[in-house]
Structures are given as structure tokens and as C-alpha cells.
Amino acid sequence: MVSMRKAWGNAVLIAVVAVLTTIGLVACKKGRKESGGGEGGASAEAPKQTVSEKAKVEFYVMSKCPFGVKVVEAIYPVLKEMGANVDFDLEFIGREVGGKLTSLHKEPEVNGNKVQICAAKYAPDGYLDFVHCMNKKWRQIPEGWESCAKETGMPFDELKACYEGQEGHDLLKASFEKAQRRRARGSPTM
């Protein structure tokens, strides 16, 4: 059962990446023609939306789940290239028991989820760089979040206040509730 689930998860991931890559190839070609840029015309500009309707993609993960980390890392370069054409939502799986947030990999994972969802609120255009940085040492999550925040230019004071305060709890609780409404129980669910 586990290997079938893993195979299914890999098939879904491949399908999502294929669709997004196809959209991206069309969008990139269209963007090059309109901008007049050639092969050597790479710029540091953020990607621009080139489709009339963005592709909606939702991932439900756990920050310390190796499979969740892999799927986020697989979509990361796709979103860096064509994120303007994708409405991407990263949510977390867990639950609230007696007012306390819980997740499969215990309190460190809850804290990892919390700091990542706070980053999404306070730096929606750059939080995936932060998550990518944290994923490099996912077994140690939430350790190292401070250095990743500085490295990726997160608004450190806001991020820390959110993570350590009630706001982070409330954001993560809402994310858990969204995952439950979507019936996302395993990490990753897409």
C-alpha cells in the first residue's frame, strides 16, 4: 500500500510539473517574442504573467516530512521560472487538540510549519526561497530558520513576532482547518 501511494504521489507530481512546464514553455516563448529579448537577454526581472488565467496549485505538506519536502523542492524551480502564471498555495497538515496544535513529527514540525506560514504572510513573493533554504536541512527544522530568514531577506522582526506569538498559532490553525476541509491527510497532498 505504501509503495502504491508513493507511486501515485510521484505520478501526480510528474503530471503537475508537466502541466506547469508546458504552460511555462508557451509563456516563456510568448514573453521573449513580446520583449524582444534573445538568447543572451536574460534579466533579473521577476517573471511576468503571460496567461489569462493562472493555474491553481495547492500543496498540503508537513515541514519535516521527507516526501513533503521533496514535492516542494520539485515545484520550487518551476515556480521560480513561471510563478507569475501559477496561483500557488502551500498549506500544512495537522490538527488542534485541546487548544494545542499537533502534527505527525511533533512540536518541531509544528514550529517549522508555523514559521513557514508566517513567512508566507509577511513575504508572499519570497517565502518559497525561505522554505527552500530551510528544506536544505529539513531534519533540523525549525532550527536554522533565523539564518534562512536573513539569507533570503525576510522581514525578520515581523516573522519572529508572528512565529512566537498568537498570530502564528492562528495562521497555522487556519491552515490545518483548510487541509481538513480538503481531506488532505497525507504529506504531500496536491
PDB file of all heavy atoms in Angstrom, residues 11 23 32 48 50 69 72 79 103 109 138 164 173 179 188:
ATOM      1  N   ALA A  11       3.358  10.048  -9.564  1.00  0.00           N
ATOM      2  CA  ALA A  11       2.645  10.263 -10.828  1.00  0.00           C
ATOM      3  C   ALA A  11       1.932  11.610 -10.823  1.00  0.00           C
ATOM      4  O   ALA A  11       1.957  12.336 -11.821  1.00  0.00           O
ATOM      5  CB  ALA A  11       1.650   9.129 -11.077  1.00  0.00           C
ATOM      6  N   ILE A  23       2.855  25.064 -19.651  1.00  0.00           N
ATOM      7  CA  ILE A  23       2.395  26.449 -19.572  1.00  0.00           C
ATOM      8  C   ILE A  23       3.601  27.385 -19.613  1.00  0.00           C
ATOM      9  O   ILE A  23       3.592  28.390 -20.304  1.00  0.00           O
ATOM     10  CB  ILE A  23       1.574  26.692 -18.292  1.00  0.00           C
ATOM     11  CG1 ILE A  23       0.260  25.915 -18.350  1.00  0.00           C
ATOM     12  CG2 ILE A  23       1.297  28.177 -18.088  1.00  0.00           C
ATOM     13  CD1 ILE A  23      -0.483  25.878 -17.026  1.00  0.00           C
ATOM     14  N   ARG A  32       9.331  36.120 -24.590  1.00  0.00           N
ATOM     15  CA  ARG A  32      10.538  36.501 -25.320  1.00  0.00           C
ATOM     16  C   ARG A  32      10.195  37.275 -26.589  1.00  0.00           C
ATOM     17  O   ARG A  32      10.829  38.249 -26.904  1.00  0.00           O
ATOM     18  CB  ARG A  32      11.355  35.251 -25.678  1.00  0.00           C
ATOM     19  CG  ARG A  32      12.194  34.763 -24.552  1.00  0.00           C
ATOM     20  CD  ARG A  32      13.176  33.706 -25.046  1.00  0.00           C
ATOM     21  NE  ARG A  32      13.641  32.966 -23.913  1.00  0.00           N
ATOM     22  CZ  ARG A  32      13.292  31.713 -23.629  1.00  0.00           C
ATOM     23  NH1 ARG A  32      12.488  31.043 -24.407  1.00  0.00           N
ATOM     24  NH2 ARG A  32      13.765  31.116 -22.563  1.00  0.00           N
ATOM     25  N   LYS A  48       6.796  37.619 -15.537  1.00  0.00           N
ATOM     26  CA  LYS A  48       5.525  38.319 -15.717  1.00  0.00           C
ATOM     27  C   LYS A  48       4.452  37.317 -16.107  1.00  0.00           C
ATOM     28  O   LYS A  48       4.729  36.319 -16.765  1.00  0.00           O
ATOM     29  CB  LYS A  48       5.675  39.374 -16.806  1.00  0.00           C
ATOM     30  CG  LYS A  48       6.584  40.523 -16.389  1.00  0.00           C
ATOM     31  CD  LYS A  48       6.650  41.558 -17.498  1.00  0.00           C
ATOM     32  CE  LYS A  48       7.390  42.785 -17.081  1.00  0.00           C
ATOM     33  NZ  LYS A  48       8.785  42.650 -16.851  1.00  0.00           N
ATOM     34  N   THR A  50       1.820  35.650 -18.208  1.00  0.00           N
ATOM     35  CA  THR A  50       1.655  35.595 -19.650  1.00  0.00           C
ATOM     36  C   THR A  50       0.437  34.770 -20.055  1.00  0.00           C
ATOM     37  O   THR A  50       0.255  34.500 -21.232  1.00  0.00           O
ATOM     38  CB  THR A  50       2.912  35.000 -20.311  1.00  0.00           C
ATOM     39  OG1 THR A  50       3.135  33.691 -19.777  1.00  0.00           O
ATOM     40  CG2 THR A  50       4.122  35.891 -20.080  1.00  0.00           C
ATOM     41  N   VAL A  69       8.821  17.558   1.709  1.00  0.00           N
ATOM     42  CA  VAL A  69       9.997  18.357   1.341  1.00  0.00           C
ATOM     43  C   VAL A  69      10.348  18.110  -0.126  1.00  0.00           C
ATOM     44  O   VAL A  69      10.599  19.056  -0.879  1.00  0.00           O
ATOM     45  CB  VAL A  69      11.195  18.038   2.264  1.00  0.00           C
ATOM     46  CG1 VAL A  69      12.485  18.625   1.728  1.00  0.00           C
ATOM     47  CG2 VAL A  69      10.922  18.536   3.684  1.00  0.00           C
ATOM     48  N   VAL A  72       7.887  19.886  -2.529  1.00  0.00           N
ATOM     49  CA  VAL A  72       8.104  21.338  -2.534  1.00  0.00           C
ATOM     50  C   VAL A  72       9.388  21.666  -3.294  1.00  0.00           C
ATOM     51  O   VAL A  72       9.427  22.616  -4.089  1.00  0.00           O
ATOM     52  CB  VAL A  72       8.130  21.907  -1.097  1.00  0.00           C
ATOM     53  CG1 VAL A  72       8.594  23.356  -1.081  1.00  0.00           C
ATOM     54  CG2 VAL A  72       6.753  21.777  -0.449  1.00  0.00           C
ATOM     55  N   LEU A  79       8.272  27.136 -10.082  1.00  0.00           N
ATOM     56  CA  LEU A  79       7.664  28.390  -9.627  1.00  0.00           C
ATOM     57  C   LEU A  79       8.624  29.570  -9.775  1.00  0.00           C
ATOM     58  O   LEU A  79       8.190  30.687 -10.040  1.00  0.00           O
ATOM     59  CB  LEU A  79       7.181  28.250  -8.185  1.00  0.00           C
ATOM     60  CG  LEU A  79       6.017  27.276  -7.983  1.00  0.00           C
ATOM     61  CD1 LEU A  79       5.730  27.085  -6.506  1.00  0.00           C
ATOM     62  CD2 LEU A  79       4.780  27.727  -8.734  1.00  0.00           C
ATOM     63  N   SER A 103       1.174  17.823  15.096  1.00  0.00           N
ATOM     64  CA  SER A 103       1.493  17.312  13.772  1.00  0.00           C
ATOM     65  C   SER A 103       2.233  15.990  13.952  1.00  0.00           C
ATOM     66  O   SER A 103       2.729  15.690  15.045  1.00  0.00           O
ATOM     67  CB  SER A 103       2.350  18.328  13.011  1.00  0.00           C
ATOM     68  OG  SER A 103       2.400  18.015  11.639  1.00  0.00           O
ATOM     69  N   GLU A 109       7.979  20.036  14.194  1.00  0.00           N
ATOM     70  CA  GLU A 109       7.293  20.213  12.923  1.00  0.00           C
ATOM     71  C   GLU A 109       6.236  21.310  13.007  1.00  0.00           C
ATOM     72  O   GLU A 109       6.100  22.118  12.088  1.00  0.00           O
ATOM     73  CB  GLU A 109       6.639  18.904  12.484  1.00  0.00           C
ATOM     74  CG  GLU A 109       5.972  19.014  11.126  1.00  0.00           C
ATOM     75  CD  GLU A 109       5.644  17.655  10.581  1.00  0.00           C
ATOM     76  OE1 GLU A 109       4.733  16.989  11.133  1.00  0.00           O
ATOM     77  OE2 GLU A 109       6.318  17.258   9.613  1.00  0.00           O
ATOM     78  N   TRP A 138      16.156  19.882   6.405  1.00  0.00           N
ATOM     79  CA  TRP A 138      14.797  19.656   6.879  1.00  0.00           C
ATOM     80  C   TRP A 138      14.731  18.816   8.149  1.00  0.00           C
ATOM     81  O   TRP A 138      13.808  18.970   8.939  1.00  0.00           O
ATOM     82  CB  TRP A 138      13.927  19.054   5.775  1.00  0.00           C
ATOM     83  CG  TRP A 138      14.365  17.699   5.308  1.00  0.00           C
ATOM     84  CD1 TRP A 138      15.226  17.430   4.285  1.00  0.00           C
ATOM     85  CD2 TRP A 138      13.978  16.441   5.839  1.00  0.00           C
ATOM     86  NE1 TRP A 138      15.399  16.082   4.146  1.00  0.00           N
ATOM     87  CE2 TRP A 138      14.633  15.451   5.099  1.00  0.00           C
ATOM     88  CE3 TRP A 138      13.138  16.048   6.874  1.00  0.00           C
ATOM     89  CZ2 TRP A 138      14.481  14.088   5.351  1.00  0.00           C
ATOM     90  CZ3 TRP A 138      12.973  14.693   7.133  1.00  0.00           C
ATOM     91  CH2 TRP A 138      13.640  13.732   6.369  1.00  0.00           C
ATOM     92  N   GLU A 164       6.486  33.527  17.063  1.00  0.00           N
ATOM     93  CA  GLU A 164       6.493  33.352  18.523  1.00  0.00           C
ATOM     94  C   GLU A 164       5.170  33.740  19.188  1.00  0.00           C
ATOM     95  O   GLU A 164       4.968  33.456  20.354  1.00  0.00           O
ATOM     96  CB  GLU A 164       7.640  34.158  19.131  1.00  0.00           C
ATOM     97  CG  GLU A 164       9.004  33.617  18.731  1.00  0.00           C
ATOM     98  CD  GLU A 164      10.161  34.447  19.265  1.00  0.00           C
ATOM     99  OE1 GLU A 164       9.929  35.556  19.802  1.00  0.00           O
ATOM    100  OE2 GLU A 164      11.309  33.977  19.135  1.00  0.00           O
ATOM    101  N   LYS A 173      -3.396  27.195  12.576  1.00  0.00           N
ATOM    102  CA  LYS A 173      -4.693  26.561  12.857  1.00  0.00           C
ATOM    103  C   LYS A 173      -5.598  26.676  11.630  1.00  0.00           C
ATOM    104  O   LYS A 173      -6.238  25.700  11.221  1.00  0.00           O
ATOM    105  CB  LYS A 173      -5.347  27.206  14.074  1.00  0.00           C
ATOM    106  CG  LYS A 173      -6.704  26.636  14.407  1.00  0.00           C
ATOM    107  CD  LYS A 173      -7.324  27.353  15.598  1.00  0.00           C
ATOM    108  CE  LYS A 173      -8.752  26.868  15.810  1.00  0.00           C
ATOM    109  NZ  LYS A 173      -9.461  27.628  16.819  1.00  0.00           N
ATOM    110  N   ALA A 179      -6.697  22.224   5.307  1.00  0.00           N
ATOM    111  CA  ALA A 179      -6.266  20.875   4.920  1.00  0.00           C
ATOM    112  C   ALA A 179      -7.348  19.849   5.260  1.00  0.00           C
ATOM    113  O   ALA A 179      -7.625  18.945   4.460  1.00  0.00           O
ATOM    114  CB  ALA A 179      -4.949  20.524   5.605  1.00  0.00           C
ATOM    115  N   PRO A 188       2.873  14.456   0.887  1.00  0.00           N
ATOM    116  CA  PRO A 188       2.142  15.589   0.344  1.00  0.00           C
ATOM    117  C   PRO A 188       0.789  15.190  -0.212  1.00  0.00           C
ATOM    118  O   PRO A 188       0.573  14.075  -0.652  1.00  0.00           O
ATOM    119  CB  PRO A 188       3.050  16.050  -0.796  1.00  0.00           C
ATOM    120  CG  PRO A 188       3.645  14.775  -1.325  1.00  0.00           C
ATOM    121  CD  PRO A 188       3.841  13.910  -0.106  1.00  0.00           C
TER     122      PRO A 188
END
